[in-house]
Amino acid sequence: MTGVISLLPEGRPGLLAPLLSGAWLSGGSEDLARYLAEGGYAPLPAPDRLLDRIAAAGLRGRGGAGFPAAVKIRAVRDAPGPPVVVANGEEGEPGSVKDRWLLRHRPHMVLDGLRLAAAMTGAERGCVYLSDARAERAVRRALAERPPELHIDVVRTEHAYVAGEETAVVRRIDGGPALPTAKPPRPFESGVGGAPTLVANVETLARVALTHSRPEAADDVAGAHLLTLAGARGAAALVEVPVGTHLKVLADLCGHGRAEAVLMGGLFGGLHGAGWTDLPLDHESLTAAGGALGCGALYFLHPEDCPVAVAGEATAYLAAQSARQCGVCVSGTGALAGTLTSVARGTANHDTTDQLHRWSRQLPGRGACGLLDAAARIVATLLAHFPDRVDAHRGSACPACADPAPEDGRRFRVPMP
């Protein structure tokens, strides 16, 4: 892996910049004394003031949906009953490493954000939810270094695509399996132990902490993003970039300048072909282009890569990762993956393509979580951006698609920096 790279302008506060500016890591985790010197764990005399600052800066959640953080916090604060706050560090997307990196290297910043979330909501109980063993050790060390002001549990789960979905998080913390449940109710209404619960991504919480320690830079903090960049033929990196950075800049950064397409948002944002290089990194532009930033993982496709093969492997992985609780998800993801396999093998016809078009329109929104939506979006964007490549497979197998799509998502896995 290329490593950890900050593209933030000099002097702009970020989550990666302190690491790059000096050797402050001890045993792989940030030093408490250094974090305190940077303004960490500062007193919070007026929680509502911080909440207003977060709202004004427009901080969005970094778990995938991009929901306004202040709205989510207020919903939990205003719900009846004593709330619970959860730092969600379970990265289901195989191409993302940002949350594990933060928990391993900046646990105090995440815990600081959790402390602030508790103050803003009135919670007296918190939880750090994760699946990475090294991250768990780092968090427990940080808790021992500075005992928290509220009761905090550390709950470890098995890694799975759906394990980080917010209702799955609640279910696992309550002692059940890490599988999604039907909604409503949502966690802000009835979560851990039936209490209103804030399930916040760890990057979101880290940015809350940085906003508190650097209030004058709240807009910059809210606008920056951690991204995982990868591809089959270039390097990979964890980067922090300001909002508006063009995707072409990101591709060039890791040697993917020859890329002709990108799989966006982990497996959630779909495939994008012609014109992707001109897309700026912001939710509105990506949504308008039919994509989504999701967890901030980008996978670049070079001219030698076949988008049908990439889509086939992605849908096969999603089908294998289904929680198998929703019949429509089991049958839908299986049908999409199986049909893409027939396209890859050259046995598809016009009816096959029509089926894929129909399913990609009908399936979104019908599962308990976003897994089915992700599979449908991959197929929809493949058909929209690469119709000629799909047609070229009709009647003849593609060498790049010769092997059956593996179900382990290995194409998209990124080594940790």
mmCIF file of all heavy atoms in Angstrom, residues 30-33 35 41 102-103 105-113 138 141-143 145-146 209:
data_model
loop_
_atom_site.group_PDB
_atom_site.id
_atom_site.type_symbol
_atom_site.label_atom_id
_atom_site.label_comp_id
_atom_site.label_asym_id
_atom_site.label_seq_id
_atom_site.Cartn_x
_atom_site.Cartn_y
_atom_site.Cartn_z
ATOM 1 N N GLU A 30 -1.982 6.681 18.987
ATOM 2 C CA GLU A 30 -1.614 8.030 19.359
ATOM 3 C C GLU A 30 -1.306 8.122 20.856
ATOM 4 O O GLU A 30 -1.848 7.379 21.672
ATOM 5 C CB GLU A 30 -2.729 9.006 18.994
ATOM 6 C CG GLU A 30 -4.023 8.790 19.759
ATOM 7 C CD GLU A 30 -5.130 9.694 19.265
ATOM 8 O OE1 GLU A 30 -4.828 10.794 18.798
ATOM 9 O OE2 GLU A 30 -6.306 9.289 19.342
ATOM 10 N N ASP A 31 -0.446 9.031 21.180
ATOM 11 C CA ASP A 31 -0.044 9.256 22.555
ATOM 12 C C ASP A 31 -1.043 10.195 23.227
ATOM 13 O O ASP A 31 -1.395 11.240 22.673
ATOM 14 C CB ASP A 31 1.361 9.860 22.574
ATOM 15 C CG ASP A 31 1.806 10.206 23.976
ATOM 16 O OD1 ASP A 31 2.151 9.273 24.719
ATOM 17 O OD2 ASP A 31 1.791 11.397 24.303
ATOM 18 N N LEU A 32 -1.516 9.848 24.411
ATOM 19 C CA LEU A 32 -2.505 10.664 25.106
ATOM 20 C C LEU A 32 -1.976 12.066 25.373
ATOM 21 O O LEU A 32 -2.689 13.058 25.194
ATOM 22 C CB LEU A 32 -2.910 9.992 26.422
ATOM 23 C CG LEU A 32 -3.849 10.808 27.314
ATOM 24 C CD1 LEU A 32 -5.157 11.130 26.604
ATOM 25 C CD2 LEU A 32 -4.108 10.073 28.627
ATOM 26 N N ALA A 33 -0.715 12.174 25.802
ATOM 27 C CA ALA A 33 -0.157 13.491 26.119
ATOM 28 C C ALA A 33 -0.184 14.390 24.895
ATOM 29 O O ALA A 33 -0.523 15.582 24.990
ATOM 30 C CB ALA A 33 1.265 13.343 26.654
ATOM 31 N N TYR A 35 -2.206 14.108 22.305
ATOM 32 C CA TYR A 35 -3.587 14.430 21.970
ATOM 33 C C TYR A 35 -4.128 15.529 22.883
ATOM 34 O O TYR A 35 -4.831 16.442 22.434
ATOM 35 C CB TYR A 35 -4.473 13.184 22.045
ATOM 36 C CG TYR A 35 -5.895 13.460 21.627
ATOM 37 C CD1 TYR A 35 -6.188 13.878 20.323
ATOM 38 C CD2 TYR A 35 -6.951 13.351 22.532
ATOM 39 C CE1 TYR A 35 -7.486 14.172 19.938
ATOM 40 C CE2 TYR A 35 -8.254 13.642 22.154
ATOM 41 C CZ TYR A 35 -8.515 14.048 20.855
ATOM 42 O OH TYR A 35 -9.800 14.356 20.469
ATOM 43 N N TYR A 41 -10.033 16.299 24.438
ATOM 44 C CA TYR A 41 -10.753 16.143 25.710
ATOM 45 C C TYR A 41 -10.984 17.488 26.416
ATOM 46 O O TYR A 41 -10.987 17.573 27.638
ATOM 47 C CB TYR A 41 -10.013 15.193 26.645
ATOM 48 C CG TYR A 41 -9.959 13.759 26.153
ATOM 49 C CD1 TYR A 41 -8.737 13.125 25.931
ATOM 50 C CD2 TYR A 41 -11.124 13.036 25.937
ATOM 51 C CE1 TYR A 41 -8.681 11.806 25.493
ATOM 52 C CE2 TYR A 41 -11.078 11.716 25.489
ATOM 53 C CZ TYR A 41 -9.857 11.106 25.277
ATOM 54 O OH TYR A 41 -9.803 9.792 24.832
ATOM 55 N N LEU A 102 -8.513 4.560 11.972
ATOM 56 C CA LEU A 102 -8.787 5.517 13.045
ATOM 57 C C LEU A 102 -8.800 4.836 14.416
ATOM 58 O O LEU A 102 -8.237 5.358 15.377
ATOM 59 C CB LEU A 102 -10.132 6.206 12.805
ATOM 60 C CG LEU A 102 -10.153 7.301 11.734
ATOM 61 C CD1 LEU A 102 -11.581 7.736 11.466
ATOM 62 C CD2 LEU A 102 -9.296 8.493 12.148
ATOM 63 N N LEU A 103 -9.432 3.689 14.510
ATOM 64 C CA LEU A 103 -9.490 2.997 15.790
ATOM 65 C C LEU A 103 -8.112 2.504 16.221
ATOM 66 O O LEU A 103 -7.791 2.509 17.416
ATOM 67 C CB LEU A 103 -10.462 1.819 15.708
ATOM 68 C CG LEU A 103 -11.946 2.195 15.629
ATOM 69 C CD1 LEU A 103 -12.784 0.971 15.281
ATOM 70 C CD2 LEU A 103 -12.422 2.816 16.937
ATOM 71 N N HIS A 105 -5.102 3.865 15.262
ATOM 72 C CA HIS A 105 -4.113 4.930 15.401
ATOM 73 C C HIS A 105 -4.610 6.186 16.112
ATOM 74 O O HIS A 105 -3.801 6.933 16.661
ATOM 75 C CB HIS A 105 -3.563 5.311 14.025
ATOM 76 C CG HIS A 105 -2.836 4.195 13.339
ATOM 77 N ND1 HIS A 105 -1.591 3.774 13.725
ATOM 78 C CD2 HIS A 105 -3.204 3.403 12.302
ATOM 79 C CE1 HIS A 105 -1.210 2.771 12.949
ATOM 80 N NE2 HIS A 105 -2.171 2.524 12.090
ATOM 81 N N ARG A 106 -5.908 6.449 16.082
ATOM 82 C CA ARG A 106 -6.446 7.648 16.725
ATOM 83 C C ARG A 106 -7.611 7.297 17.654
ATOM 84 O O ARG A 106 -8.684 7.935 17.591
ATOM 85 C CB ARG A 106 -6.885 8.663 15.678
ATOM 86 C CG ARG A 106 -5.800 9.046 14.681
ATOM 87 C CD ARG A 106 -5.688 10.536 14.482
ATOM 88 N NE ARG A 106 -5.262 11.229 15.688
ATOM 89 C CZ ARG A 106 -5.122 12.559 15.758
ATOM 90 N NH1 ARG A 106 -5.365 13.308 14.691
ATOM 91 N NH2 ARG A 106 -4.742 13.142 16.868
ATOM 92 N N PRO A 107 -7.436 6.308 18.529
ATOM 93 C CA PRO A 107 -8.551 5.907 19.395
ATOM 94 C C PRO A 107 -9.006 7.018 20.330
ATOM 95 O O PRO A 107 -10.200 7.120 20.638
ATOM 96 C CB PRO A 107 -7.989 4.711 20.163
ATOM 97 C CG PRO A 107 -6.499 4.909 20.156
ATOM 98 C CD PRO A 107 -6.220 5.520 18.807
ATOM 99 N N HIS A 108 -8.065 7.872 20.801
ATOM 100 C CA HIS A 108 -8.469 8.947 21.708
ATOM 101 C C HIS A 108 -9.386 9.940 21.008
ATOM 102 O O HIS A 108 -10.335 10.446 21.619
ATOM 103 C CB HIS A 108 -7.245 9.659 22.270
ATOM 104 C CG HIS A 108 -6.570 8.905 23.371
ATOM 105 N ND1 HIS A 108 -7.180 8.650 24.580
ATOM 106 C CD2 HIS A 108 -5.338 8.331 23.440
ATOM 107 C CE1 HIS A 108 -6.355 7.955 25.353
ATOM 108 N NE2 HIS A 108 -5.236 7.749 24.690
ATOM 109 N N MET A 109 -9.132 10.214 19.752
ATOM 110 C CA MET A 109 -9.996 11.154 19.034
ATOM 111 C C MET A 109 -11.392 10.563 18.860
ATOM 112 O O MET A 109 -12.403 11.273 18.994
ATOM 113 C CB MET A 109 -9.388 11.522 17.681
ATOM 114 C CG MET A 109 -10.225 12.519 16.898
ATOM 115 S SD MET A 109 -9.403 13.129 15.420
ATOM 116 C CE MET A 109 -8.478 14.517 16.121
ATOM 117 N N VAL A 110 -11.485 9.270 18.567
ATOM 118 C CA VAL A 110 -12.795 8.628 18.446
ATOM 119 C C VAL A 110 -13.523 8.635 19.792
ATOM 120 O O VAL A 110 -14.709 8.965 19.872
ATOM 121 C CB VAL A 110 -12.640 7.189 17.919
ATOM 122 C CG1 VAL A 110 -13.992 6.471 17.941
ATOM 123 C CG2 VAL A 110 -12.066 7.190 16.505
ATOM 124 N N LEU A 111 -12.807 8.288 20.870
ATOM 125 C CA LEU A 111 -13.421 8.276 22.199
ATOM 126 C C LEU A 111 -13.823 9.678 22.651
ATOM 127 O O LEU A 111 -14.842 9.862 23.326
ATOM 128 C CB LEU A 111 -12.461 7.653 23.216
ATOM 129 C CG LEU A 111 -12.204 6.154 23.035
ATOM 130 C CD1 LEU A 111 -11.088 5.694 23.952
ATOM 131 C CD2 LEU A 111 -13.471 5.346 23.281
ATOM 132 N N ASP A 112 -13.043 10.673 22.266
ATOM 133 C CA ASP A 112 -13.392 12.058 22.556
ATOM 134 C C ASP A 112 -14.700 12.415 21.861
ATOM 135 O O ASP A 112 -15.605 13.042 22.445
ATOM 136 C CB ASP A 112 -12.256 12.975 22.098
ATOM 137 C CG ASP A 112 -12.356 14.385 22.675
ATOM 138 O OD1 ASP A 112 -13.278 14.644 23.479
ATOM 139 O OD2 ASP A 112 -11.497 15.221 22.333
ATOM 140 N N GLY A 113 -14.817 12.018 20.586
ATOM 141 C CA GLY A 113 -16.060 12.269 19.863
ATOM 142 C C GLY A 113 -17.250 11.563 20.479
ATOM 143 O O GLY A 113 -18.357 12.108 20.530
ATOM 144 N N ALA A 138 -6.211 -1.292 20.767
ATOM 145 C CA ALA A 138 -5.897 0.137 20.822
ATOM 146 C C ALA A 138 -6.956 0.894 21.619
ATOM 147 O O ALA A 138 -6.637 1.782 22.427
ATOM 148 C CB ALA A 138 -5.787 0.705 19.408
ATOM 149 N N ARG A 141 -6.594 0.126 25.341
ATOM 150 C CA ARG A 141 -5.438 0.843 25.898
ATOM 151 C C ARG A 141 -5.793 2.302 26.151
ATOM 152 O O ARG A 141 -5.438 2.881 27.178
ATOM 153 C CB ARG A 141 -4.236 0.748 24.959
ATOM 154 C CG ARG A 141 -3.458 -0.555 25.047
ATOM 155 C CD ARG A 141 -2.080 -0.418 24.420
ATOM 156 N NE ARG A 141 -2.158 -0.005 23.017
ATOM 157 C CZ ARG A 141 -2.210 -0.850 21.993
ATOM 158 N NH1 ARG A 141 -2.189 -2.155 22.212
ATOM 159 N NH2 ARG A 141 -2.262 -0.406 20.760
ATOM 160 N N ALA A 142 -6.482 2.905 25.197
ATOM 161 C CA ALA A 142 -6.857 4.311 25.343
ATOM 162 C C ALA A 142 -7.825 4.505 26.504
ATOM 163 O O ALA A 142 -7.722 5.488 27.256
ATOM 164 C CB ALA A 142 -7.480 4.816 24.037
ATOM 165 N N LEU A 143 -8.755 3.594 26.686
ATOM 166 C CA LEU A 143 -9.687 3.691 27.813
ATOM 167 C C LEU A 143 -8.955 3.546 29.144
ATOM 168 O O LEU A 143 -9.311 4.199 30.134
ATOM 169 C CB LEU A 143 -10.765 2.605 27.688
ATOM 170 C CG LEU A 143 -11.816 2.814 26.582
ATOM 171 C CD1 LEU A 143 -12.672 1.568 26.427
ATOM 172 C CD2 LEU A 143 -12.693 4.022 26.900
ATOM 173 N N GLU A 145 -5.799 4.422 29.597
ATOM 174 C CA GLU A 145 -4.990 5.635 29.774
ATOM 175 C C GLU A 145 -5.805 6.776 30.354
ATOM 176 O O GLU A 145 -5.318 7.557 31.174
ATOM 177 C CB GLU A 145 -4.419 6.083 28.415
ATOM 178 C CG GLU A 145 -3.201 5.346 27.956
ATOM 179 C CD GLU A 145 -2.649 6.003 26.708
ATOM 180 O OE1 GLU A 145 -3.362 6.045 25.679
ATOM 181 O OE2 GLU A 145 -1.508 6.491 26.754
ATOM 182 N N ARG A 146 -7.031 6.881 29.890
ATOM 183 C CA ARG A 146 -7.903 7.966 30.362
ATOM 184 C C ARG A 146 -9.288 7.393 30.606
ATOM 185 O O ARG A 146 -10.108 7.310 29.692
ATOM 186 C CB ARG A 146 -7.975 9.097 29.335
ATOM 187 C CG ARG A 146 -8.751 10.314 29.855
ATOM 188 C CD ARG A 146 -8.883 11.368 28.787
ATOM 189 N NE ARG A 146 -9.478 12.581 29.296
ATOM 190 C CZ ARG A 146 -10.797 12.784 29.477
ATOM 191 N NH1 ARG A 146 -11.642 11.823 29.176
ATOM 192 N NH2 ARG A 146 -11.250 13.941 29.940
ATOM 193 N N ALA A 209 -15.000 15.566 17.372
ATOM 194 C CA ALA A 209 -13.946 15.932 18.322
ATOM 195 C C ALA A 209 -13.054 17.031 17.765
ATOM 196 O O ALA A 209 -12.689 17.984 18.481
ATOM 197 C CB ALA A 209 -13.106 14.699 18.661
#
